[in-house]
Amino acid sequence: MTRTRGWATVWTVLRLAMAALIGTAISAQLAKSIGTATELGRDVPTTIANFFSFFTILSNTAAAIVLAWIALWYVFKGRRQDTDAEPHGLALALACVSTYMIITGIVYNSLLRGIELPQGSAPIPWSNEVLHLIGPIFLLLDVFLGPLRRSLPWRSLWAVVAFPIVWVVYTMIRGPLITNPVSRDPFWYPYPFLNPNNPGGWLSVGLYVIGIAAAIIAVGAFVVWWGRRRSAGAGASDDAAAAASVPSSVVPE
């Protein structure tokens, strides 16, 4: 079912709708953070930079872009081609954002739910749920149900884990250079488990980083493996269908 043109059209509409919902949720929370900073006389450029330093915001932004990208590709090109997969670059981007969104959902709901993060204002409840629960669930479903999933080589896993590594390095370098616009502490970290000034210090930060890195590798490997599995299964089905369509009179005995 997931490889039929009808299902591809339905899921394309859902991808566009989810991209729009995620974009609206990000915009609403950003507007509230900027409004709160302006009202209270906080540094607005720092507030904006901090907002886009959250892994959640970056992964959701990337997911919205890739979902819109793949939907538009299908509308304008993919459905007119005799093809069963996306271009390699688009498939790799989809594997990356799927991994990041699934990790966002796991980390937030297991470690951070109920903790108010330093995003510049109180979270908007519906936006918070879209970014941390609804979006991640949709990208997880997309791994299983999304059409046209291309088989990626195992070396693609390096590309999947590259961004989280860069983000952690950026976060740890930037943290002590930024004054928290809310508390005025001489440091700012987006998540408490990355703050070496908390109890446990650098040892605790290191353990969390190692644990989350292992989770990212595991989820990324699963996304790549499942795409390869689906592609192999579809190829076998196509071969069987092609063989069945050959008249028996032309099949050698």
Side-chain angles (χ1 to χ4, degrees), residues 3 149 151 226-239:
R3 300 188 70 84
R149 202 83 186 198
S151 175
W226 189 261
R228 292 168 62 90
R229 181 178 183 273
R230 285 186 61 190
S231 180
S237 298
D238 292 344
D239 291 344

Side-chain angles (χ1 to χ4, degrees), residues 22-23 25-27 29 49-65 97 99-113 115 117-119 123-124 126-136 139 163-164 167-168 170-171 188 190-194 212 216:
I22 291 174
I26 293 172
S27 299
Q29 187 61 62
N50 288 351
F51 184 83
F52 284 103
S53 293
F54 283 93
F55 188 84
T56 293
I57 299 300
L58 294 173
S59 61
N60 273 274
T61 300
I65 292 171
V97 298
T99 300
Y100 307 153
M101 289 293 283
I102 293 169
I103 287 296
T104 292
I106 292 173
V107 172
Y108 179 82
N109 290 285
S110 62
L111 297 177
L112 299 171
R113 182 167 286 278
I115 298 175
L117 301 176
Q119 56 191 358
I124 300 174
W126 71 265
S127 172
N128 194 62
E129 293 306 306
V130 168
L131 301 180
H132 295 102
L133 185 63
I134 297 174
L139 267 295
F163 169 71
W167 175 79
V168 167
Y170 158 81
T171 298
W188 183 91
Y191 302 106
F193 56 78
L194 291 180
I212 294 174
I216 291 172

Side-chain angles (χ1 to χ4, degrees), residues 149-197:
R149 202 83 186 198
R150 174 181 288 275
S151 175
L152 292 170
W154 281 110
R155 63 177 179 275
S156 300
L157 190 57
W158 290 107
V160 173
V161 302
F163 169 71
I165 293 173
V166 172
W167 175 79
V168 167
V169 172
Y170 158 81
T171 298
M172 303 316 296
I173 292 176
R174 183 177 184 268
L177 304 178
I178 300 298
T179 298
N180 190 317
V182 178
S183 66
R184 307 309 300 172
D185 289 328
F187 53 82
W188 183 91
Y189 296 89
Y191 302 106
F193 56 78
L194 291 180
N195 186 353
N197 300 284

Side-chain angles (χ1 to χ4, degrees), residues 11 28 38 40 57 61 69 84 91 115 117 138 141-142 165 171 176 179-181 185 200 205 208 220 223 241 245 247:
W11 201 260
T38 302
L40 299 179
I57 299 300
T61 300
W69 177 17
D84 61 355
I115 298 175
L117 301 176
F138 181 85
L141 291 175
D142 193 80
I165 293 173
T171 298
T179 298
N180 190 317
D185 289 328
V205 171
Y208 272 111
V223 170
S245 67

